[in-house]
Amino acid sequence: MSELKPAERIHAGLTLGAISGLLLFAAERLLAARVHMAAQPGGGDLSAWLLGTAGLYLLWGVAVGGLALLLPPLRRWPALIPHAVVLLAAAAAIALLPNWYGVLPATILAALGADGLWFLVRRRPRPLRVALAAVAAAVVALCLVHPRGLEVAPPPDPIDAEGVAERATTAPDLVLVVLDTVRRDHTSAYGHERETTPSFDGLAAGGARLDRAYSSSPWSLPAHATLFTGRSPGGHGAHYEHPVLDPGIPTLAATLADHGYETVGISGNPWLTPDNGTGRGFHTWIDSTPVRDVARCFVLRWIWADRTARGKGGAASVATARGLLEGRARDDVPLFLFVNLYEAHAPYDAVPGDCGGAFVPPGTSRRELRRLSTRLELAQTAGTSYLPTGRERALTDALYDGAVHCGDRHLGELMDAVGAGGRPAVTVVLSDHGE
């Protein structure tokens, strides 16, 4: 079989890269978009945003194909292109599939598909262009169909300030703060040996501390859905097999909105979004996820944002809340403010070092912490069987305590903003689940 001419190699590399990028987007759209691709805060055109996301993946695939063309011109080097596509597909499988046993068949299917495309490149260039057009058309169709086949729930009706003026003078602001993934026994308020939560400790000392509080689930979506509805996961329907809150179920935010409250939700947790129903009833929903435009692409987030961003949106969440609370007067419409502080969630090292490293032994290398944090995160997200022991277990506790400490620091900043407000406020702080 003769080698491709230079122009044919360029065409083959860029075309296969484009197809791989579009297929990556299609896989993300089918496997993860229904939860991780949130609607824009306050509404917005989801279809247009999905088209933009597809374009980003297309450019990514073309860039990979272009980089493959820069490899040394070995005699049989064109065969590297389908192998590059296979590696790209394997990386996507690792990021998207919930368990490692799904990676092998996904990679085999990608290899068969890449070899088939390569055959078309060498033997049938016209069908390749048809295949590219078909994949592009399928991606556009996926963009135009909502992840659940339903419209995003509209925000509540605007507040009638005159109709609630009387209640506004007496009803307090309500502030609900979730310290995501914080274990009770790793807070100093409940006896932990390290002073991980001084802000929470002060709040508990001046208020009511509950000793018997239980979560409905060990992960975020069903736990928050229970918090917002008062129903168990079997009652509200939001769980792993069905990651969407059942329509028609009243939520805390919607009920408060009906009673004249302005409802605002701020979160850095990607499982919380108006798109899956957990943001239902909020007049305003603000996503504080760092590297926002990239992080909304699940694959790119796994590769980029979670690996490089220092912080998980807590600082941005507090800054936004402070802006809402500043200048509030006693006769303002009452506010229901929900804030999720995501700092204690894996990866534990993706927080600012001044608080995240507070309990790490001196001399521990950044590389060692990064490797340990990655292995712990993969154990959670990809189902690996890693269980730290000895020194690694001690470092795991230190990393987790540092992440908890970072979240508590943001809690203290938020409580300062609440205290400086011009209206009385009732504050509740809890965790959605442990770790």
Side-chain angles (χ1 to χ4, degrees):
M1 185 178 294
S2 61
E3 295 294 332
L4 292 178
K5 298 178 181 179
E8 292 174 329
R9 287 205 305 269
I10 294 174
H11 173 264
L14 297 183
T15 302
L16 285 175
I19 290 178
S20 64
L22 290 173
L23 289 176
L24 275 177
F25 170 76
E28 172 170 302
R29 171 61 179 72
L30 291 172
L31 296 176
R34 56 183 176 168
V35 172
H36 290 276
M37 289 184 178
Q40 296 288 347
D45 189 341
L46 184 63
S47 296
W49 181 81
L50 285 172
L51 284 170
T53 306
L56 182 60
Y57 275 94
L58 176 63
L59 292 175
W60 187 32
V62 170
V64 171
L67 289 174
L69 296 173
L70 300 178
L71 294 173
L74 303 176
R75 182 177 180 182
R76 297 183 180 275
W77 86 269
L80 293 174
I81 295 179
H83 295 146
V85 174
V86 171
L87 292 175
L88 200 61
I94 293 172
L96 290 171
L97 297 178
N99 293 295
W100 282 96
Y101 55 72
V103 174
L104 181 59
T107 304
I108 293 174
L109 289 175
L112 293 175
D115 287 340
L117 288 174
W118 188 245
F119 176 80
L120 290 176
V121 170
R122 302 297 299 268
R123 298 288 190 176
R124 301 286 191 273
R126 182 173 297 177
L128 178 64
R129 290 191 288 269
V130 174
L132 177 58
V135 171
V139 168
V140 171
L142 286 170
C143 288
L144 297 178
V145 177
H146 190 271
R148 301 192 312 275
L150 301 171
E151 292 298 323
V152 176
D157 293 332
I159 299 172
D160 180 5
E162 295 182 0
V164 298
E166 182 177 350
R167 275 176 293 180
T169 61
T170 58
D173 289 346
L174 302 177
V175 181
L176 177 61
V177 183
V178 170
L179 298 176
D180 206 289
T181 322
V182 172
R183 290 173 57 117
R184 163 192 166 124
D185 60 356
H186 278 251
T187 63
S188 41
Y190 286 97
H192 189 42
E193 60 184 9
R194 290 169 173 156
E195 191 177 358
T196 53
T197 54
S199 299
F200 178 73
D201 299 353
L203 193 65
R209 192 192 71 172
L210 304 183
D211 291 324
R212 298 183 64 187
Y214 303 94
S215 176
S216 65
S217 175
W219 68 291
S220 293
L221 175 60
H224 280 84
T226 294
L227 176 65
F228 291 154
T229 65
R231 303 189 184 192
S232 66
H236 57 61
H239 43 74
Y240 187 81
E241 293 78 13
H242 180 263
V244 178
L245 180 64
D246 286 341
I249 296 180
T251 64
L252 175 62
T255 301
L256 289 171
D258 290 341
H259 286 77
Y261 272 80
E262 178 185 0
T263 54
V264 179
I266 307 172
S267 172
N269 187 328
W271 285 101
L272 307 182
T273 159
D275 193 39
N276 65 11
T278 50
R280 187 185 304 156
F282 286 93
H283 292 100
T284 303
W285 185 269
I286 300 170
D287 178 8
S288 297
T289 305
V291 199
R292 192 162 144 196
D293 291 338
V294 173
R296 287 187 175 181
C297 304
F298 186 60
V299 177
L300 291 185
R301 176 181 179 179
W302 189 84
I303 294 174
W304 173 257
D306 283 350
R307 304 293 175 192
T308 61
R310 300 271 70 83
K312 301 170 189 173
S317 295
V318 171
T320 301
R322 184 183 295 113
L324 290 171
L325 295 168
E326 285 179 351
R328 285 182 58 77
R330 181 168 291 274
D331 58 351
D332 284 346
V333 170
L335 172 69
F336 170 53
L337 175 62
F338 165 75
V339 180
N340 176 286
L341 296 174
Y342 197 58
E343 268 57 32
H345 196 284
Y348 303 139
D349 72 326
V351 290
D354 58 337
C355 57
F359 308 108
V360 173
T364 306
S365 70
R366 176 70 187 168
R367 181 179 180 182
E368 182 180 7
L369 296 178
R370 172 71 271 184
R371 183 172 61 250
L372 175 61
S373 182
T374 299
R375 296 182 69 181
L376 292 167
E377 184 185 13
L378 288 176
Q380 294 184 20
T381 60
T384 62
S385 58
Y386 173 67
L387 185 65
T389 58
R391 171 178 166 78
E392 288 190 341
R393 174 55 193 267
L395 283 179
T396 297
D397 287 343
L399 276 174
Y400 177 68
D401 285 346
V404 170
H405 187 54
C406 287
D408 181 80
R409 183 173 69 176
H410 293 314
L411 173 65
E413 296 166 349
L414 180 60
M415 292 301 97
D416 288 343
V418 171
R423 301 194 78 259
V426 175
T427 300
V428 177
V429 181
L430 68 151
S431 177
D432 56 341
H433 56 81
E435 180 69 314

